[in-house]
């Protein structure tokens, strides 16, 4: 697994642009940016360094057990290789791929087509 860095997050956002795999495209359905440790199953919502919920993926608000390295000033530069980015919705973690698929499913029309009217 590739360790998450700011650069990797930016690449992921580019790869998932235009799909439900990015925060701006799934927020309206209640998805919240998060990270999961694939080794432990621990899920962490994305937060600003001061603990407030973040509307997109940020590295600085993660707990020490998710962090591999920091700058001397304390900014997170790299996460453990077992950490993956994704989203939480209704208590479930979704990878970016899973979120993109789920958003596509939820965005499909859920009504039956209206039959054409016939004139008498």
């Amino acid at each position: 697994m590739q360790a998450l860095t700011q650069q990797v997050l930016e690449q992921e956002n580019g790869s998932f642009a235009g799909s439900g795999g990015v925060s701006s495209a799934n927020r309206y359905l209640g998805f919240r940016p998060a990270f999961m440790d694939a080794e432990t199953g621990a899920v962490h919502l994305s937060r600003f360094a001061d603990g407030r919920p973040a509307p997109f993926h940020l590295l600085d608000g993660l707990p020490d057990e998710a962090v591999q390295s920091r700058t001397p000033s304390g900014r997170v530069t790299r996460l453990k290789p077992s950490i993956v980015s994704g989203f939480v919705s209704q208590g479930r973690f979704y990878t970016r791929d899973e979120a993109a698929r789920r958003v596509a499913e939820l965005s499909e029309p859920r009504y039956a087509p209206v039959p054409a009217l016939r004139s008498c």
Side-chain angles (χ1 to χ4, degrees):
M1 296 176 127
Q2 181 179 12
L4 282 178
T5 62
Q6 186 60 43
Q7 182 180 10
V8 171
L9 286 176
E10 290 169 9
Q11 290 169 350
E12 288 180 351
N13 282 337
S15 296
F16 286 96
S19 79
V22 294
S23 300
S24 60
N26 65 28
R27 186 176 300 121
Y28 76 101
L29 290 169
F31 285 79
R32 296 193 50 205
F35 298 89
M36 183 182 73
D37 188 328
E39 288 178 353
T40 67
V43 174
H44 308 283
L45 291 175
S46 184
R47 297 188 179 279
F48 290 102
D50 65 7
R52 290 177 296 130
F56 46 83
H57 290 94
L58 287 176
L59 303 179
D60 285 328
L62 287 165
D64 288 339
E65 60 265 18
V67 176
Q68 187 174 44
S69 64
R70 294 181 185 270
T71 65
S73 65
R75 300 239 19 213
V76 175
T77 57
R78 180 179 304 275
L79 300 180
K80 288 179 13 184
S82 59
I83 305 292
V84 295
S85 66
F87 302 91
V88 170
S89 177
Q90 298 182 349
R92 178 176 176 230
F93 180 83
Y94 292 82
T95 64
R96 286 183 186 259
D97 283 323
E98 292 168 338
R101 284 194 301 274
R102 184 67 179 138
V103 168
E105 290 168 4
L106 293 172
S107 299
E108 291 175 0
R110 295 195 176 261
Y111 55 86
V114 176
L117 297 176
R118 297 196 306 188
S119 42
C120 299

